[in-house]
Amino acid sequence: RQLFHLPSVPGSVPSSVPKWGQPSGRDTSVKAKWQRTVAGTSGQEALVEPVAWLEPSRSFRLEEIENLLASDDPELIGDFSKAHLLPMVEGKDPALKYISPATLAAVLTGQFGGSIERSVVVDCRYPYEYEGGHVKGAVNLPLQREVEEFLLEQPIVPPDAGRRVIIIFHCEFSVERGPKMCKFLRERDRSCHVYPQLHYPELYVLKGGYREFFFQFPGHCEPRDYRPMEHPAFREELRRFRGQRR
């Protein structure tokens, strides 16, 4: 389904779009002026003052396009080429796409193998947390520079354009570190492309984080354990890693 034709230069997208069935403020004022003129002067042509349309800035136009697309079909992936593959659940941040622990388990067991070329689980917890137990096959990337080096210096490109590369972020609870890293990757990915192209248009956050996944699917974790961030034996490591988060 084609949403609408995007122009080669997005400046032709208006700065506001009235809702169907509702007149805009401009239409209302023009109609009122027309009615006053016609009521007061029979047979005389009504005069309507011209309205000046200001050219919005480029960044504002791009934001308008993304908002319009998102409002029309919020399930499209980041480059608007297709719908999301994985079933999603409601999460804390409406700007992100969340999946359940059961969906991640389905990915790990190959239930979406016909469509996925490669899936990358990014564990944003600190190394001592990761070493105490993590999702099998997950890569530990707690720092932004590590995410850039691993995913953007040599991007993962599927040999078949019809197959997908999906990235799944999580931390202990997927409340702060995981969601922030997901947003960081999208921002950096956007910055090195012509909008709306992306290396990784399909990003997800694991709802409930490693804690919830471990309690539901311990068999998919190695070692089969869970070490919390605020473990009393790792206070010094916590202080050190918090100081170098970026």
Side-chain angles (χ1 to χ4, degrees):
R1 179 166 58 91
Q2 188 172 8
L3 299 177
F4 56 83
H5 294 287
L6 287 179
S8 57
V9 178
S12 62
V13 178
S15 59
S16 62
V17 179
K19 294 182 178 179
W20 288 102
Q22 296 182 0
S24 65
R26 175 175 175 270
D27 293 338
T28 304
S29 61
V30 170
K31 182 178 180 181
K33 182 175 291 184
W34 174 276
Q35 290 174 341
R36 288 198 300 270
T37 305
V38 172
T41 308
S42 176
Q44 184 177 350
E45 182 181 1
L47 298 177
V48 179
E49 296 178 359
V51 176
W53 289 83
L54 300 178
E55 180 72 9
S57 67
R58 183 174 182 274
S59 61
F60 181 78
R61 293 199 305 267
L62 294 180
E63 182 180 355
E64 277 290 301
I65 291 173
E66 186 164 11
N67 288 341
L68 287 169
L69 285 166
S71 64
D72 188 82
D73 191 343
E75 304 311 319
L76 293 179
I77 61 177
D79 62 1
F80 313 125
S81 61
K82 56 178 73 74
H84 283 82
L85 174 67
L86 303 183
M88 292 171 288
V89 294
E90 185 177 353
K92 180 180 179 181
D93 190 334
L96 300 175
K97 306 302 181 183
Y98 292 81
I99 62 171
S100 68
T103 297
L104 175 55
V107 171
L108 296 176
T109 55
Q111 295 184 33
F112 295 93
S115 300
I116 296 177
E117 177 67 27
R118 182 175 173 185
S119 60
V120 181
V121 179
V122 178
D123 189 330
C124 301
R125 296 177 301 156
Y126 302 133
Y128 68 88
E129 297 173 83
Y130 177 85
E131 293 164 3
H134 57 268
V135 177
K136 288 182 179 179
V139 57
N140 187 212
L141 303 174
L143 303 178
Q144 291 180 353
R145 58 176 172 80
E146 294 175 336
V147 169
E148 285 191 275
E149 291 169 0
F150 187 85
L151 293 173
L152 295 178
E153 286 191 357
Q154 292 185 332
I156 304 168
V157 180
D160 181 353
R163 293 174 64 80
R164 307 176 187 234
V165 174
I166 65 170
I167 315 295
I168 302 169
F169 291 85
H170 78 82
C171 53
E172 184 176 4
F173 304 104
S174 288
V175 171
E176 181 179 357
R177 291 174 289 175
K180 283 184 176 180
M181 198 68 81
C182 183
K183 288 183 175 181
F184 169 75
L185 176 62
R186 174 53 54 82
E187 290 169 359
R188 294 296 299 129
D189 202 353
R190 284 271 187 231
S191 70
C192 55
H193 283 92
V194 176
Y195 186 91
Q197 298 173 1
L198 290 165
H199 285 308
Y200 305 108
E202 197 158 359
L203 307 180
Y204 299 95
V205 174
L206 174 63
K207 186 174 182 180
Y210 179 75
R211 181 181 185 277
E212 186 63 31
F213 184 82
F214 171 73
F215 287 136
Q216 292 189 30
F217 301 97
H220 287 297
C221 302
E222 59 180 8
R224 191 177 291 195
D225 203 354
Y226 161 47
R227 181 177 293 165
M229 181 183 71
E230 297 188 350
H231 193 290
F234 296 90
R235 290 175 181 172
E236 182 59 29
E237 287 86 345
L238 174 59
R239 185 192 63 80
R240 184 172 70 254
F241 284 114
R242 276 181 167 171
Q244 60 176 15
R245 277 283 296 277
R246 302 185 70 83

